[in-house]
Amino acid sequence: MRPSICLLRLSALGDVTHVVPLVRTLQRAWPGLHLHWIIDPAGQRLLDGLEGVTFHVYNKKSGLAGMRALRRQLPPERFEVLLQLQVAARANLLSAFVPARRRVGYDRSRSKDLHGLFINERIPDRPGIHVLDAIGSFCEPLGLVQDRVEWNLPVPAEAHEWAAAQWPDDGAPVLMISPCSSHQRRNWYPDRYAALADHAASHGWRVVLCGGRSELERSTADAIVAAMRSPVLDLVGKDTLKQLPALLARADLLATPDSGPMHIANAMGTKVLGLHAASNPARSGPYSDRRYCVDRYDDAARKYLGKPASALKWGTKIEHDGVMELITVQDAIEAFERYRADHGR
């Protein structure tokens, strides 16, 4: 018998992308399963059309009134299972408006903000695993194991058509740069991106910039373009969240800090040159392949926290001013050259 299941994960884009393999695991176990998912507006725009899922959108700006409105959107009958996939205080409080018999949450080591008060079951405590694997563990209290990771993001044909129209398919490999994350201290520097881009262009690569419509993303892209000696295709602010996965899928390699586009690109099968100093790539880097990541997380731990990364609590962020200075242009070029060596590009 198929259980009635509600997922609660509001943000961010990378994390909601990590939830999709869990959805696929549940759907493989119970063909025809229909899930409900409480999500934020950006996540819903990215994943709209995910088959077998009804989204219930909660905007954090709506506060308690929005929580009460969400309760009225949900089916009148109680869910058998709530998978409470987020430990933030707002998400914990929101979960209280979801009627469910079983309320599965994180293990104690990952809990915070009174998470334990809103759940009655926990996933296994497995330190040192990737965020996606921790989310995948939520199927285990239901008697399942996530032994396969599958995304198959819902990207419409018109999104692929838009992406295909942005540059000719002339055989030139593409380095895409998504320079900004939602955490400014994770971001690398425009002059360093420009140096990496010029290096790629000198080897016959097309360079494409992508990003959202924020003032920071626009000013960062402008600074990269100004510092480059080579041509660049600037698509920052020109795509939608539905078009973004299709755009990332056209790249051979994406250079980016720990960000939503990193994880969306990975889900679409694109290799990632991840720039990690503020966060641990073993925990939150591109899930499928981290061979082309720059990892200065241990250096950051020693410089800013006075201890090696191995001595830190799993998941510790080192979002200090200047932490990304630890990643040099040479680091990024060496990662780029590893990709070229492996792929003959």
Side-chain angles (χ1 to χ4, degrees):
M1 181 177 176
R2 294 191 294 266
S4 60
I5 300 175
C6 182
L7 313 176
L8 196 162
R9 180 77 212 195
L10 299 174
S11 61
L13 291 177
D15 289 315
V16 299
T17 302
H18 291 329
V19 175
V20 175
L22 173 64
V23 169
R24 301 303 187 196
T25 296
L26 296 171
Q27 291 174 333
R28 284 195 302 272
W30 293 295
L33 175 69
H34 191 91
L35 295 162
H36 293 258
W37 184 344
I38 300 169
I39 199 167
D40 72 332
Q44 191 273 336
R45 289 197 300 274
L46 175 67
L47 297 179
D48 183 46
L50 190 64
E51 65 274 16
V53 178
T54 295
F55 289 109
H56 303 277
V57 177
Y58 174 74
N59 189 325
K60 64 183 180 181
K61 295 178 182 178
S62 65
L64 281 171
M67 294 182 185
R68 289 192 289 267
L70 175 81
R71 175 64 187 91
R72 294 191 292 270
Q73 286 182 35
L74 297 175
E77 63 276 6
R78 185 167 63 161
F79 291 105
E80 291 178 46
V81 184
L82 169 67
L83 300 183
Q84 169 57 346
L85 299 157
Q86 194 163 359
V87 297
R90 181 184 290 110
N92 288 330
L93 180 58
L94 179 59
S95 73
F97 289 80
V98 182
R101 181 175 63 85
R102 300 175 64 187
R103 313 177 71 85
V104 181
Y106 282 94
D107 53 274
R108 284 182 173 81
S109 68
R110 292 181 176 84
S111 293
K112 63 178 182 179
D113 293 342
L114 304 178
H115 183 67
L117 298 180
F118 297 89
I119 60 174
N120 54 28
E121 296 181 52
R122 295 182 183 270
I123 63 171
D125 186 356
R126 294 195 187 98
I129 62 175
H130 194 279
V131 172
L132 185 147
D133 289 324
I135 290 172
S137 300
F138 274 79
C139 69
E140 294 183 28
L142 307 183
L144 307 175
V145 175
Q146 184 163 293
D147 55 5
R148 183 166 117 212
V149 172
E150 174 190 352
W151 285 275
N152 192 20
L153 298 181
V155 184
E158 53 267 29
H160 286 292
E161 291 165 5
W162 177 87
Q166 300 311 302
W167 65 84
D169 189 8
D170 55 8
V174 174
L175 172 67
M176 192 169 290
I177 297 175
S178 179
C180 296
S181 80
S182 57
H183 301 267
Q184 192 163 349
R185 288 180 176 134
R186 295 182 193 173
N187 293 343
W188 209 33
Y189 305 101
D191 61 323
R192 300 188 187 190
Y193 279 120
L196 171 64
D198 282 333
H199 177 81
S202 73
H203 290 279
W205 284 56
R206 176 178 280 109
V207 178
V208 180
L209 299 181
C210 72
R213 293 170 172 79
S214 72
E215 183 178 335
L216 174 64
E217 288 164 294
R218 183 65 266 157
S219 63
T220 300
D222 289 343
I224 294 170
V225 173
M228 285 184 63
R229 302 185 306 272
S230 310
V232 57
L233 176 59
D234 182 359
L235 297 180
V236 171
K238 296 182 180 179
D239 63 311
T240 66
L241 278 176
K242 266 301 179 203
Q243 293 166 339
L244 176 60
L247 190 65
L248 294 168
R250 285 205 71 196
D252 293 272
L253 185 65
L254 173 72
T256 186
D258 188 351
S259 65
M262 168 182 285
H263 304 296
I264 297 167
N266 179 78
M268 296 301 293
T270 296
K271 301 300 182 185
V272 178
L273 195 168
L275 301 164
H276 293 270
S279 60
N280 185 351
R283 178 185 178 272
S284 59
Y287 181 81
S288 302
D289 191 346
R290 294 189 284 281
R291 286 177 294 169
Y292 313 114
C293 288
V294 177
D295 181 4
R296 291 292 182 185
Y297 181 70
D298 184 69
D299 295 330
R302 293 173 189 273
K303 177 174 180 177
Y304 291 97
L305 303 179
K307 59 183 73 173
S310 59
L312 301 181
K313 180 181 177 183
W314 189 251
T316 297
K317 303 290 195 308
I318 313 175
E319 292 173 342
H320 290 249
D321 287 339
V323 66
M324 294 297 283
E325 290 179 7
L326 293 169
I327 299 175
T328 66
V329 171
Q330 188 60 34
D331 288 333
I333 287 175
E334 288 174 2
F336 175 79
E337 290 298 328
R338 287 199 299 276
Y339 177 90
R340 288 186 67 221
D342 287 348
H343 295 84
R345 306 306 296 266

